[in-house]
Structure formats: C-alpha cells, structure tokens
Tab-separated table of all heavy atoms in Angstrom:
chain	number	residue	atom	x	y	z
A	1	GLN	N	-59.313	4.234	-2.074
A	1	GLN	CA	-59.159	5.669	-1.842
A	1	GLN	C	-58.688	6.322	-3.130
A	1	GLN	O	-58.053	5.690	-3.974
A	1	GLN	CB	-58.159	5.939	-0.714
A	1	GLN	CG	-56.719	5.540	-1.041
A	1	GLN	CD	-55.802	5.742	0.142
A	1	GLN	OE1	-55.754	4.907	1.025
A	1	GLN	NE2	-55.097	6.855	0.149
A	2	TYR	N	-59.048	7.634	-3.299
A	2	TYR	CA	-58.583	8.418	-4.442
A	2	TYR	C	-57.205	8.966	-4.122
A	2	TYR	O	-57.025	9.696	-3.146
A	2	TYR	CB	-59.516	9.609	-4.702
A	2	TYR	CG	-60.787	9.282	-5.416
A	2	TYR	CD1	-62.014	9.375	-4.768
A	2	TYR	CD2	-60.786	8.900	-6.748
A	2	TYR	CE1	-63.197	9.103	-5.430
A	2	TYR	CE2	-61.958	8.622	-7.417
A	2	TYR	CZ	-63.164	8.737	-6.755
A	2	TYR	OH	-64.329	8.458	-7.410
A	3	HIS	N	-56.217	8.627	-4.931
A	3	HIS	CA	-54.866	9.160	-4.791
A	3	HIS	C	-54.449	9.115	-3.305
A	3	HIS	O	-54.435	8.065	-2.698
A	3	HIS	CB	-54.786	10.577	-5.355
A	3	HIS	CG	-55.189	10.640	-6.796
A	3	HIS	ND1	-54.441	10.060	-7.803
A	3	HIS	CD2	-56.279	11.192	-7.408
A	3	HIS	CE1	-55.031	10.254	-8.960
A	3	HIS	NE2	-56.146	10.935	-8.756
A	4	ALA	N	-54.134	10.270	-2.723
A	4	ALA	CA	-53.690	10.296	-1.327
A	4	ALA	C	-54.793	10.771	-0.390
A	4	ALA	O	-54.530	11.185	0.735
A	4	ALA	CB	-52.471	11.200	-1.194
A	5	GLU	N	-56.038	10.710	-0.856
A	5	GLU	CA	-57.143	11.189	-0.033
A	5	GLU	C	-57.500	10.171	1.047
A	5	GLU	O	-56.974	9.067	1.103
A	5	GLU	CB	-58.373	11.470	-0.918
A	5	GLU	CG	-58.151	12.611	-1.893
A	5	GLU	CD	-59.383	12.862	-2.752
A	5	GLU	OE1	-60.454	12.338	-2.409
A	5	GLU	OE2	-59.263	13.566	-3.754
A	6	THR	N	-58.442	10.566	1.905
A	6	THR	CA	-58.891	9.691	2.985
A	6	THR	C	-59.483	8.418	2.425
A	6	THR	O	-60.107	8.408	1.374
A	6	THR	CB	-59.946	10.433	3.836
A	6	THR	OG1	-59.402	11.678	4.249
A	6	THR	CG2	-60.318	9.612	5.052
A	7	GLN	N	-59.294	7.312	3.175
A	7	GLN	CA	-59.838	6.021	2.759
A	7	GLN	C	-61.359	6.111	2.664
A	7	GLN	O	-62.040	6.472	3.623
A	7	GLN	CB	-59.456	4.952	3.797
A	7	GLN	CG	-59.586	3.541	3.299
A	7	GLN	CD	-58.278	3.009	2.740
A	7	GLN	OE1	-57.402	3.784	2.420
A	7	GLN	NE2	-58.159	1.712	2.604
A	8	LEU	N	-61.915	5.790	1.493
A	8	LEU	CA	-63.365	5.841	1.301
A	8	LEU	C	-64.021	4.524	1.680
A	8	LEU	O	-65.144	4.502	2.175
A	8	LEU	CB	-63.689	6.183	-0.158
A	8	LEU	CG	-63.177	7.536	-0.657
A	8	LEU	CD1	-63.528	7.728	-2.123
A	8	LEU	CD2	-63.741	8.666	0.181
A	9	ILE	N	-63.349	3.416	1.406
A	9	ILE	CA	-63.819	2.082	1.786
A	9	ILE	C	-62.683	1.409	2.541
A	9	ILE	O	-61.545	1.414	2.092
A	9	ILE	CB	-64.191	1.233	0.539
A	9	ILE	CG1	-65.372	1.854	-0.195
A	9	ILE	CG2	-64.512	-0.187	0.942
A	9	ILE	CD1	-66.674	1.787	0.552
A	10	ASP	N	-63.006	0.808	3.674
A	10	ASP	CA	-61.960	0.222	4.508
A	10	ASP	C	-62.400	-1.156	4.992
A	10	ASP	O	-63.379	-1.269	5.756
A	10	ASP	CB	-61.672	1.147	5.699
A	10	ASP	CG	-60.492	0.673	6.526
A	10	ASP	OD1	-59.727	-0.179	6.040
A	10	ASP	OD2	-60.333	1.156	7.666
A	11	ASP	N	-61.728	-2.204	4.522
A	11	ASP	CA	-61.990	-3.591	4.930
A	11	ASP	C	-63.482	-3.923	4.814
A	11	ASP	O	-64.106	-4.438	5.746
A	11	ASP	CB	-61.502	-3.817	6.363
A	11	ASP	CG	-61.414	-5.310	6.706
A	11	ASP	OD1	-61.237	-6.118	5.776
A	11	ASP	OD2	-61.550	-5.645	7.893
A	12	PHE	N	-64.030	-3.634	3.642
A	12	PHE	CA	-65.455	-3.844	3.382
A	12	PHE	C	-65.676	-5.289	2.920
A	12	PHE	O	-65.076	-5.740	1.946
A	12	PHE	CB	-65.931	-2.869	2.309
A	12	PHE	CG	-67.407	-2.906	2.051
A	12	PHE	CD1	-68.284	-2.215	2.855
A	12	PHE	CD2	-67.924	-3.648	0.991
A	12	PHE	CE1	-69.641	-2.231	2.617
A	12	PHE	CE2	-69.270	-3.677	0.744
A	12	PHE	CZ	-70.136	-2.973	1.560
A	13	HIS	N	-66.545	-6.002	3.638
A	13	HIS	CA	-66.801	-7.415	3.317
A	13	HIS	C	-68.315	-7.625	3.197
A	13	HIS	O	-69.073	-7.264	4.092
A	13	HIS	CB	-66.235	-8.318	4.409
A	13	HIS	CG	-66.271	-9.776	4.044
A	13	HIS	ND1	-65.355	-10.347	3.177
A	13	HIS	CD2	-67.124	-10.766	4.401
A	13	HIS	CE1	-65.638	-11.641	3.037
A	13	HIS	NE2	-66.703	-11.914	3.770
A	14	LEU	N	-68.747	-8.202	2.053
A	14	LEU	CA	-70.182	-8.393	1.820
A	14	LEU	C	-70.395	-9.500	0.793
A	14	LEU	O	-69.703	-9.560	-0.220
A	14	LEU	CB	-70.793	-7.082	1.306
A	14	LEU	CG	-72.274	-7.117	0.892
A	14	LEU	CD1	-73.166	-7.399	2.101
A	14	LEU	CD2	-72.672	-5.802	0.227
A	15	HIS	N	-71.357	-10.383	1.091
A	15	HIS	CA	-71.785	-11.410	0.128
A	15	HIS	C	-73.261	-11.184	-0.183
A	15	HIS	O	-74.083	-11.047	0.725
A	15	HIS	CB	-71.587	-12.809	0.697
A	15	HIS	CG	-72.171	-13.889	-0.177
A	15	HIS	ND1	-71.544	-14.342	-1.322
A	15	HIS	CD2	-73.354	-14.575	-0.086
A	15	HIS	CE1	-72.298	-15.272	-1.895
A	15	HIS	NE2	-73.397	-15.436	-1.161
A	16	ILE	N	-73.590	-11.138	-1.475
A	16	ILE	CA	-74.981	-10.980	-1.919
A	16	ILE	C	-75.322	-12.178	-2.789
A	16	ILE	O	-74.705	-12.393	-3.845
A	16	ILE	CB	-75.164	-9.668	-2.714
A	16	ILE	CG1	-74.719	-8.469	-1.875
A	16	ILE	CG2	-76.620	-9.511	-3.147
A	16	ILE	CD1	-74.740	-7.153	-2.628
A	17	GLY	N	-76.273	-12.978	-2.340
A	17	GLY	CA	-76.652	-14.173	-3.079
A	17	GLY	C	-77.570	-13.875	-4.246
A	17	GLY	O	-78.134	-12.774	-4.351
A	18	PRO	N	-77.766	-14.832	-5.151
A	18	PRO	CA	-78.656	-14.643	-6.316
A	18	PRO	C	-80.073	-14.301	-5.874
A	18	PRO	O	-80.643	-14.953	-4.989
A	18	PRO	CB	-78.614	-16.005	-7.016
A	18	PRO	CG	-77.337	-16.636	-6.555
A	18	PRO	CD	-77.122	-16.162	-5.154
A	19	GLY	N	-80.642	-13.253	-6.456
A	19	GLY	CA	-82.016	-12.861	-6.166
A	19	GLY	C	-82.202	-12.116	-4.867
A	19	GLY	O	-83.330	-11.742	-4.517
A	20	GLU	N	-81.141	-11.843	-4.134
A	20	GLU	CA	-81.270	-11.180	-2.835
A	20	GLU	C	-81.500	-9.686	-3.020
A	20	GLU	O	-80.992	-9.060	-3.950
A	20	GLU	CB	-80.008	-11.415	-2.012
A	20	GLU	CG	-80.185	-11.064	-0.538
A	20	GLU	CD	-78.994	-11.479	0.307
A	20	GLU	OE1	-77.993	-11.982	-0.257
A	20	GLU	OE2	-79.057	-11.295	1.540
A	21	LYS	N	-82.296	-9.112	-2.123
A	21	LYS	CA	-82.613	-7.681	-2.152
A	21	LYS	C	-81.878	-6.990	-1.002
A	21	LYS	O	-82.131	-7.260	0.167
A	21	LYS	CB	-84.130	-7.453	-2.008
A	21	LYS	CG	-84.996	-8.248	-2.992
A	21	LYS	CD	-84.809	-7.761	-4.410
A	21	LYS	CE	-85.782	-8.426	-5.374
A	21	LYS	NZ	-85.562	-9.859	-5.576
A	22	ILE	N	-80.942	-6.088	-1.377
A	22	ILE	CA	-80.089	-5.419	-0.390
A	22	ILE	C	-80.303	-3.914	-0.476
A	22	ILE	O	-80.301	-3.339	-1.568
A	22	ILE	CB	-78.598	-5.730	-0.642
A	22	ILE	CG1	-78.341	-7.227	-0.544
A	22	ILE	CG2	-77.707	-4.966	0.336
A	22	ILE	CD1	-78.507	-7.791	0.831
A	23	ALA	N	-80.480	-3.277	0.670
A	23	ALA	CA	-80.531	-1.812	0.739
A	23	ALA	C	-79.295	-1.324	1.479
A	23	ALA	O	-78.904	-1.907	2.499
A	23	ALA	CB	-81.788	-1.337	1.450
A	24	ILE	N	-78.664	-0.257	0.960
A	24	ILE	CA	-77.475	0.326	1.594
A	24	ILE	C	-77.790	1.756	1.986
A	24	ILE	O	-78.086	2.596	1.136
A	24	ILE	CB	-76.255	0.290	0.649
A	24	ILE	CG1	-75.981	-1.145	0.187
A	24	ILE	CG2	-75.030	0.853	1.358
A	24	ILE	CD1	-74.815	-1.261	-0.774
A	25	LEU	N	-77.771	2.022	3.284
A	25	LEU	CA	-78.062	3.344	3.819
A	25	LEU	C	-76.789	3.956	4.381
A	25	LEU	O	-75.771	3.271	4.537
A	25	LEU	CB	-79.113	3.252	4.926
A	25	LEU	CG	-80.406	2.494	4.628
A	25	LEU	CD1	-81.261	2.433	5.878
A	25	LEU	CD2	-81.161	3.167	3.500
A	26	GLY	N	-76.871	5.239	4.712
A	26	GLY	CA	-75.732	5.904	5.330
A	26	GLY	C	-75.627	7.347	4.896
A	26	GLY	O	-76.172	7.738	3.866
A	27	PRO	N	-74.919	8.157	5.675
A	27	PRO	CA	-74.773	9.582	5.327
A	27	PRO	C	-73.929	9.765	4.078
A	27	PRO	O	-73.218	8.856	3.637
A	27	PRO	CB	-74.078	10.163	6.563
A	27	PRO	CG	-73.329	9.009	7.153
A	27	PRO	CD	-74.176	7.800	6.897
A	28	SER	N	-73.981	10.959	3.496
A	28	SER	CA	-73.139	11.271	2.343
A	28	SER	C	-71.672	11.146	2.741
A	28	SER	O	-71.268	11.561	3.818
A	28	SER	CB	-73.411	12.698	1.853
A	28	SER	OG	-74.715	12.796	1.363
A	29	GLY	N	-70.878	10.550	1.832
A	29	GLY	CA	-69.480	10.337	2.131
A	29	GLY	C	-69.189	9.054	2.877
A	29	GLY	O	-68.035	8.775	3.218
A	30	ALA	N	-70.232	8.250	3.139
A	30	ALA	CA	-70.033	7.003	3.882
A	30	ALA	C	-69.394	5.919	3.027
A	30	ALA	O	-68.878	4.941	3.553
A	30	ALA	CB	-71.368	6.506	4.448
A	31	GLY	N	-69.458	6.051	1.697
A	31	GLY	CA	-68.861	5.063	0.808
A	31	GLY	C	-69.860	4.282	-0.025
A	31	GLY	O	-69.479	3.358	-0.754
A	32	LYS	N	-71.141	4.673	0.020
A	32	LYS	CA	-72.178	3.925	-0.704
A	32	LYS	C	-71.937	3.966	-2.213
A	32	LYS	O	-71.949	2.923	-2.885
A	32	LYS	CB	-73.563	4.503	-0.385
A	32	LYS	CG	-73.907	4.579	1.088
A	32	LYS	CD	-75.328	5.014	1.335
A	32	LYS	CE	-75.642	6.378	0.759
A	32	LYS	NZ	-74.857	7.455	1.385
A	33	SER	N	-71.725	5.162	-2.748
A	33	SER	CA	-71.523	5.295	-4.186
A	33	SER	C	-70.237	4.613	-4.637
A	33	SER	O	-70.162	4.064	-5.737
A	33	SER	CB	-71.489	6.777	-4.583
A	33	SER	OG	-72.729	7.392	-4.311
A	34	THR	N	-69.223	4.632	-3.770
A	34	THR	CA	-67.967	3.959	-4.102
A	34	THR	C	-68.185	2.461	-4.260
A	34	THR	O	-67.598	1.825	-5.144
A	34	THR	CB	-66.915	4.236	-3.012
A	34	THR	OG1	-66.779	5.644	-2.847
A	34	THR	CG2	-65.581	3.633	-3.380
A	35	VAL	N	-69.040	1.891	-3.410
A	35	VAL	CA	-69.360	0.458	-3.516
A	35	VAL	C	-69.962	0.156	-4.882
A	35	VAL	O	-69.602	-0.840	-5.535
A	35	VAL	CB	-70.328	0.045	-2.386
A	35	VAL	CG1	-70.902	-1.350	-2.642
A	35	VAL	CG2	-69.620	0.070	-1.041
A	36	LEU	N	-70.858	1.015	-5.350
A	36	LEU	CA	-71.478	0.795	-6.659
A	36	LEU	C	-70.448	0.897	-7.781
A	36	LEU	O	-70.486	0.114	-8.733
A	36	LEU	CB	-72.600	1.812	-6.885
A	36	LEU	CG	-73.777	1.772	-5.902
A	36	LEU	CD1	-74.881	2.707	-6.379
A	36	LEU	CD2	-74.314	0.373	-5.727
A	37	LYS	N	-69.560	1.862	-7.703
A	37	LYS	CA	-68.549	2.028	-8.748
A	37	LYS	C	-67.617	0.827	-8.810
A	37	LYS	O	-67.217	0.380	-9.887
A	37	LYS	CB	-67.757	3.313	-8.498
A	37	LYS	CG	-68.595	4.584	-8.605
A	37	LYS	CD	-67.823	5.779	-8.091
A	37	LYS	CE	-68.708	7.022	-8.049
A	37	LYS	NZ	-68.010	8.185	-7.465
A	38	LEU	N	-67.272	0.292	-7.641
A	38	LEU	CA	-66.428	-0.905	-7.600
A	38	LEU	C	-67.159	-2.104	-8.198
A	38	LEU	O	-66.567	-2.917	-8.905
A	38	LEU	CB	-66.011	-1.196	-6.158
A	38	LEU	CG	-65.024	-0.198	-5.528
A	38	LEU	CD1	-64.949	-0.396	-4.026
A	38	LEU	CD2	-63.641	-0.345	-6.140
A	39	LEU	N	-68.456	-2.200	-7.915
A	39	LEU	CA	-69.245	-3.299	-8.479
A	39	LEU	C	-69.309	-3.203	-9.993
A	39	LEU	O	-69.249	-4.224	-10.701
A	39	LEU	CB	-70.661	-3.270	-7.888
A	39	LEU	CG	-71.665	-4.261	-8.475
A	39	LEU	CD1	-71.204	-5.698	-8.238
A	39	LEU	CD2	-73.057	-4.038	-7.887
A	40	GLN	N	-69.408	-1.988	-10.529
A	40	GLN	CA	-69.478	-1.792	-11.975
A	40	GLN	C	-68.126	-1.995	-12.668
A	40	GLN	O	-68.067	-2.016	-13.899
A	40	GLN	CB	-69.995	-0.387	-12.292
A	40	GLN	CG	-71.456	-0.181	-11.910
A	40	GLN	CD	-71.876	1.253	-12.105
A	40	GLN	OE1	-71.539	2.136	-11.320
A	40	GLN	NE2	-72.604	1.510	-13.182
C-alpha cells in the first residue's frame, strides 16, 4: 500500500514457471500495475 492509503495488494500468492504465459485481467485499481512494479 502507498503510505496510509487503501491496501492495493493483499496476501497475493503466485508462482510463474520458466516459459509460462500468464495473462492478468481485472478492473482499474485491482492491483495489476502494482504487481508489475513489484516484479520490477
């Protein structure tokens, strides 16, 4: 979460194996972009 804002990602668990193709869908604000930033 950003500072004292609402939790953007909560108990998120995911394993992606080598060469696997994953698509992440969801409405705006669901946390998709946050997942990418954490990965980077």
Side-chain angles (χ1 to χ4, degrees):
Q1 67 184 81
Y2 281 112
H3 302 292
E5 295 180 14
T6 307
Q7 198 94 341
L8 299 178
I9 296 291
D10 186 15
D11 195 26
F12 185 82
H13 189 77
L14 175 65
H15 173 78
I16 303 174
E20 194 172 4
K21 308 292 187 293
I22 300 292
I24 304 179
L25 309 176
S28 295
K32 305 186 301 296
S33 297
T34 305
V35 168
L36 298 188
K37 296 169 186 176
L38 291 166
L39 174 62
Q40 292 174 284

